[in-house]
Amino acid sequence: MSKHFLRDYVTFVSGINPTRAKMENSVFYDQNDFMNDYYLDRESVINNYDKSFKLEEGDVVISLALQQAAIVSKENHGKILTLNFIKIVFENDLLDKYYFVYLFNSYLDIKRQKERMLQGTGAVYKIPVKSLNDLEIPIISIEEQKKIGEAYFKMLYLHSCLNKYKHLTEKCVGSVLEGKVTGITKFGACVSLPEGKSGLVHISEIAYSYV
């Protein structure tokens, strides 16, 4: 494994200020969009601006505020890149984009490098775009990069599922829910619940007497 500067593999496209952009019927990429892309959970009309600001499904973006990277989903295709984000343009096939997201978000040495690059005051700290060029990244074979990137995104997906399960559990535990009986088994009754969920009312909870 050898280390190389990030600038040898990618270039950066900074976003635009939406308050100054004369772009009618356009939808701008914001922090909520980034978080949806991060956890994997429209076409826009562009006037007088380079198409490089328009995001496409599969693009890699960095949130300057969060110092995290994500891959643009289908839902955010066509939105306009804003000042809080940077789009990564890969200049060759030597760096896999999924591996890059793993490195940028989770690789310990790069986390330390990013911490040293942070600039700002108060609660707002960002990494200057020019500093990103100097990040040193470990380069391994493209096959190994793809394996690591795939494993990392599977981990993110599982993390997202756990968060959803936690939210549903917190919402339902101790609550009285109304549902429709959809089937009967020897164990109890199958019931459809809100948000497309389903559950089983155990036979012991239906009645005190024999059912």
Side-chain angles (χ1 to χ4, degrees), residues 130-147:
K130 61 181 181 180
S131 296
L132 293 174
N133 283 299
D134 297 327
L135 278 176
E136 291 188 16
I137 59 174
I139 296 297
I140 55 180
S141 69
I142 195 68
E143 292 78 13
E144 291 300 313
Q145 290 184 38
K146 290 181 178 179
K147 289 179 182 179

PDB file of all heavy atoms in Angstrom, residues 130-147:
ATOM      1  N   LYS A 130      -8.874  24.197  -0.859  1.00  0.00           N
ATOM      2  CA  LYS A 130      -7.485  24.024  -1.287  1.00  0.00           C
ATOM      3  C   LYS A 130      -6.743  23.026  -0.399  1.00  0.00           C
ATOM      4  O   LYS A 130      -5.797  22.368  -0.852  1.00  0.00           O
ATOM      5  CB  LYS A 130      -6.762  25.368  -1.293  1.00  0.00           C
ATOM      6  CG  LYS A 130      -6.681  26.060   0.058  1.00  0.00           C
ATOM      7  CD  LYS A 130      -5.959  27.399  -0.054  1.00  0.00           C
ATOM      8  CE  LYS A 130      -5.868  28.085   1.310  1.00  0.00           C
ATOM      9  NZ  LYS A 130      -5.161  29.392   1.215  1.00  0.00           N
ATOM     10  N   SER A 131      -7.162  22.900   0.863  1.00  0.00           N
ATOM     11  CA  SER A 131      -6.503  21.960   1.771  1.00  0.00           C
ATOM     12  C   SER A 131      -6.826  20.514   1.427  1.00  0.00           C
ATOM     13  O   SER A 131      -6.021  19.615   1.689  1.00  0.00           O
ATOM     14  CB  SER A 131      -6.928  22.245   3.216  1.00  0.00           C
ATOM     15  OG  SER A 131      -6.508  23.527   3.628  1.00  0.00           O
ATOM     16  N   LEU A 132      -8.000  20.283   0.837  1.00  0.00           N
ATOM     17  CA  LEU A 132      -8.379  18.919   0.481  1.00  0.00           C
ATOM     18  C   LEU A 132      -7.403  18.320  -0.524  1.00  0.00           C
ATOM     19  O   LEU A 132      -7.196  17.101  -0.554  1.00  0.00           O
ATOM     20  CB  LEU A 132      -9.799  18.896  -0.087  1.00  0.00           C
ATOM     21  CG  LEU A 132     -10.921  19.235   0.908  1.00  0.00           C
ATOM     22  CD1 LEU A 132     -12.259  19.331   0.179  1.00  0.00           C
ATOM     23  CD2 LEU A 132     -11.003  18.186   2.006  1.00  0.00           C
ATOM     24  N   ASN A 133      -6.811  19.148  -1.346  1.00  0.00           N
ATOM     25  CA  ASN A 133      -5.844  18.661  -2.326  1.00  0.00           C
ATOM     26  C   ASN A 133      -4.662  17.970  -1.664  1.00  0.00           C
ATOM     27  O   ASN A 133      -4.035  17.081  -2.250  1.00  0.00           O
ATOM     28  CB  ASN A 133      -5.324  19.820  -3.183  1.00  0.00           C
ATOM     29  CG  ASN A 133      -6.307  20.250  -4.246  1.00  0.00           C
ATOM     30  OD1 ASN A 133      -6.681  19.476  -5.119  1.00  0.00           O
ATOM     31  ND2 ASN A 133      -6.748  21.493  -4.170  1.00  0.00           N
ATOM     32  N   ASP A 134      -4.339  18.380  -0.437  1.00  0.00           N
ATOM     33  CA  ASP A 134      -3.156  17.876   0.243  1.00  0.00           C
ATOM     34  C   ASP A 134      -3.424  16.660   1.116  1.00  0.00           C
ATOM     35  O   ASP A 134      -2.517  16.183   1.812  1.00  0.00           O
ATOM     36  CB  ASP A 134      -2.546  18.992   1.103  1.00  0.00           C
ATOM     37  CG  ASP A 134      -2.066  20.157   0.253  1.00  0.00           C
ATOM     38  OD1 ASP A 134      -1.613  19.917  -0.883  1.00  0.00           O
ATOM     39  OD2 ASP A 134      -2.146  21.306   0.728  1.00  0.00           O
ATOM     40  N   LEU A 135      -4.658  16.155   1.102  1.00  0.00           N
ATOM     41  CA  LEU A 135      -4.941  14.934   1.849  1.00  0.00           C
ATOM     42  C   LEU A 135      -4.122  13.780   1.270  1.00  0.00           C
ATOM     43  O   LEU A 135      -4.099  13.575   0.052  1.00  0.00           O
ATOM     44  CB  LEU A 135      -6.429  14.587   1.764  1.00  0.00           C
ATOM     45  CG  LEU A 135      -7.392  15.301   2.720  1.00  0.00           C
ATOM     46  CD1 LEU A 135      -8.815  14.894   2.401  1.00  0.00           C
ATOM     47  CD2 LEU A 135      -7.067  14.979   4.170  1.00  0.00           C
ATOM     48  N   GLU A 136      -3.483  13.026   2.134  1.00  0.00           N
ATOM     49  CA  GLU A 136      -2.751  11.838   1.698  1.00  0.00           C
ATOM     50  C   GLU A 136      -3.640  10.616   1.883  1.00  0.00           C
ATOM     51  O   GLU A 136      -4.149  10.358   2.976  1.00  0.00           O
ATOM     52  CB  GLU A 136      -1.465  11.681   2.501  1.00  0.00           C
ATOM     53  CG  GLU A 136      -0.436  12.751   2.192  1.00  0.00           C
ATOM     54  CD  GLU A 136       0.899  12.462   2.851  1.00  0.00           C
ATOM     55  OE1 GLU A 136       1.122  11.316   3.295  1.00  0.00           O
ATOM     56  OE2 GLU A 136       1.723  13.384   2.932  1.00  0.00           O
ATOM     57  N   ILE A 137      -3.837   9.877   0.805  1.00  0.00           N
ATOM     58  CA  ILE A 137      -4.739   8.725   0.837  1.00  0.00           C
ATOM     59  C   ILE A 137      -3.974   7.448   0.499  1.00  0.00           C
ATOM     60  O   ILE A 137      -3.063   7.457  -0.329  1.00  0.00           O
ATOM     61  CB  ILE A 137      -5.913   8.906  -0.149  1.00  0.00           C
ATOM     62  CG1 ILE A 137      -5.397   9.085  -1.575  1.00  0.00           C
ATOM     63  CG2 ILE A 137      -6.787  10.083   0.265  1.00  0.00           C
ATOM     64  CD1 ILE A 137      -6.497   9.118  -2.619  1.00  0.00           C
ATOM     65  N   PRO A 138      -4.327   6.333   1.141  1.00  0.00           N
ATOM     66  CA  PRO A 138      -3.694   5.052   0.825  1.00  0.00           C
ATOM     67  C   PRO A 138      -4.295   4.458  -0.446  1.00  0.00           C
ATOM     68  O   PRO A 138      -5.513   4.363  -0.584  1.00  0.00           O
ATOM     69  CB  PRO A 138      -4.016   4.191   2.049  1.00  0.00           C
ATOM     70  CG  PRO A 138      -5.297   4.759   2.567  1.00  0.00           C
ATOM     71  CD  PRO A 138      -5.270   6.231   2.274  1.00  0.00           C
ATOM     72  N   ILE A 139      -3.435   4.058  -1.359  1.00  0.00           N
ATOM     73  CA  ILE A 139      -3.895   3.476  -2.615  1.00  0.00           C
ATOM     74  C   ILE A 139      -3.536   1.991  -2.653  1.00  0.00           C
ATOM     75  O   ILE A 139      -2.378   1.614  -2.481  1.00  0.00           O
ATOM     76  CB  ILE A 139      -3.276   4.196  -3.827  1.00  0.00           C
ATOM     77  CG1 ILE A 139      -3.753   5.651  -3.865  1.00  0.00           C
ATOM     78  CG2 ILE A 139      -3.640   3.483  -5.128  1.00  0.00           C
ATOM     79  CD1 ILE A 139      -5.252   5.815  -4.048  1.00  0.00           C
ATOM     80  N   ILE A 140      -4.549   1.163  -2.850  1.00  0.00           N
ATOM     81  CA  ILE A 140      -4.377  -0.276  -3.016  1.00  0.00           C
ATOM     82  C   ILE A 140      -4.959  -0.665  -4.362  1.00  0.00           C
ATOM     83  O   ILE A 140      -5.437   0.197  -5.117  1.00  0.00           O
ATOM     84  CB  ILE A 140      -5.083  -1.039  -1.871  1.00  0.00           C
ATOM     85  CG1 ILE A 140      -6.570  -0.629  -1.797  1.00  0.00           C
ATOM     86  CG2 ILE A 140      -4.399  -0.748  -0.541  1.00  0.00           C
ATOM     87  CD1 ILE A 140      -7.345  -1.338  -0.701  1.00  0.00           C
ATOM     88  N   SER A 141      -4.942  -1.939  -4.700  1.00  0.00           N
ATOM     89  CA  SER A 141      -5.464  -2.368  -5.994  1.00  0.00           C
ATOM     90  C   SER A 141      -6.933  -2.006  -6.114  1.00  0.00           C
ATOM     91  O   SER A 141      -7.659  -1.957  -5.112  1.00  0.00           O
ATOM     92  CB  SER A 141      -5.292  -3.875  -6.162  1.00  0.00           C
ATOM     93  OG  SER A 141      -6.150  -4.583  -5.283  1.00  0.00           O
ATOM     94  N   ILE A 142      -7.384  -1.736  -7.314  1.00  0.00           N
ATOM     95  CA  ILE A 142      -8.768  -1.325  -7.537  1.00  0.00           C
ATOM     96  C   ILE A 142      -9.746  -2.403  -7.099  1.00  0.00           C
ATOM     97  O   ILE A 142     -10.846  -2.110  -6.620  1.00  0.00           O
ATOM     98  CB  ILE A 142      -8.992  -0.936  -9.027  1.00  0.00           C
ATOM     99  CG1 ILE A 142     -10.307  -0.175  -9.185  1.00  0.00           C
ATOM    100  CG2 ILE A 142      -8.919  -2.153  -9.915  1.00  0.00           C
ATOM    101  CD1 ILE A 142     -10.314   1.183  -8.539  1.00  0.00           C
ATOM    102  N   GLU A 143      -9.343  -3.658  -7.217  1.00  0.00           N
ATOM    103  CA  GLU A 143     -10.214  -4.762  -6.777  1.00  0.00           C
ATOM    104  C   GLU A 143     -10.431  -4.700  -5.270  1.00  0.00           C
ATOM    105  O   GLU A 143     -11.557  -4.880  -4.786  1.00  0.00           O
ATOM    106  CB  GLU A 143      -9.611  -6.120  -7.170  1.00  0.00           C
ATOM    107  CG  GLU A 143      -9.586  -6.411  -8.664  1.00  0.00           C
ATOM    108  CD  GLU A 143      -8.464  -5.695  -9.382  1.00  0.00           C
ATOM    109  OE1 GLU A 143      -7.547  -5.172  -8.689  1.00  0.00           O
ATOM    110  OE2 GLU A 143      -8.499  -5.637 -10.621  1.00  0.00           O
ATOM    111  N   GLU A 144      -9.353  -4.472  -4.514  1.00  0.00           N
ATOM    112  CA  GLU A 144      -9.476  -4.362  -3.069  1.00  0.00           C
ATOM    113  C   GLU A 144     -10.250  -3.114  -2.675  1.00  0.00           C
ATOM    114  O   GLU A 144     -11.015  -3.119  -1.703  1.00  0.00           O
ATOM    115  CB  GLU A 144      -8.083  -4.346  -2.422  1.00  0.00           C
ATOM    116  CG  GLU A 144      -7.340  -5.668  -2.522  1.00  0.00           C
ATOM    117  CD  GLU A 144      -8.092  -6.798  -1.846  1.00  0.00           C
ATOM    118  OE1 GLU A 144      -8.556  -6.604  -0.699  1.00  0.00           O
ATOM    119  OE2 GLU A 144      -8.228  -7.878  -2.458  1.00  0.00           O
ATOM    120  N   GLN A 145     -10.065  -2.029  -3.419  1.00  0.00           N
ATOM    121  CA  GLN A 145     -10.828  -0.807  -3.151  1.00  0.00           C
ATOM    122  C   GLN A 145     -12.330  -1.077  -3.246  1.00  0.00           C
ATOM    123  O   GLN A 145     -13.116  -0.644  -2.387  1.00  0.00           O
ATOM    124  CB  GLN A 145     -10.440   0.285  -4.147  1.00  0.00           C
ATOM    125  CG  GLN A 145      -9.056   0.856  -3.961  1.00  0.00           C
ATOM    126  CD  GLN A 145      -8.791   1.994  -4.928  1.00  0.00           C
ATOM    127  OE1 GLN A 145      -9.676   2.798  -5.224  1.00  0.00           O
ATOM    128  NE2 GLN A 145      -7.562   2.079  -5.428  1.00  0.00           N
ATOM    129  N   LYS A 146     -12.727  -1.785  -4.292  1.00  0.00           N
ATOM    130  CA  LYS A 146     -14.154  -2.051  -4.499  1.00  0.00           C
ATOM    131  C   LYS A 146     -14.722  -2.931  -3.396  1.00  0.00           C
ATOM    132  O   LYS A 146     -15.866  -2.738  -2.959  1.00  0.00           O
ATOM    133  CB  LYS A 146     -14.355  -2.701  -5.864  1.00  0.00           C
ATOM    134  CG  LYS A 146     -14.110  -1.741  -7.029  1.00  0.00           C
ATOM    135  CD  LYS A 146     -14.345  -2.418  -8.380  1.00  0.00           C
ATOM    136  CE  LYS A 146     -14.130  -1.427  -9.518  1.00  0.00           C
ATOM    137  NZ  LYS A 146     -14.336  -2.061 -10.851  1.00  0.00           N
ATOM    138  N   LYS A 147     -13.944  -3.904  -2.915  1.00  0.00           N
ATOM    139  CA  LYS A 147     -14.409  -4.767  -1.831  1.00  0.00           C
ATOM    140  C   LYS A 147     -14.633  -3.963  -0.556  1.00  0.00           C
ATOM    141  O   LYS A 147     -15.635  -4.119   0.135  1.00  0.00           O
ATOM    142  CB  LYS A 147     -13.392  -5.884  -1.576  1.00  0.00           C
ATOM    143  CG  LYS A 147     -13.322  -6.935  -2.669  1.00  0.00           C
ATOM    144  CD  LYS A 147     -12.273  -7.991  -2.333  1.00  0.00           C
ATOM    145  CE  LYS A 147     -12.162  -9.030  -3.440  1.00  0.00           C
ATOM    146  NZ  LYS A 147     -11.116 -10.048  -3.132  1.00  0.00           N
TER     147      LYS A 147
END
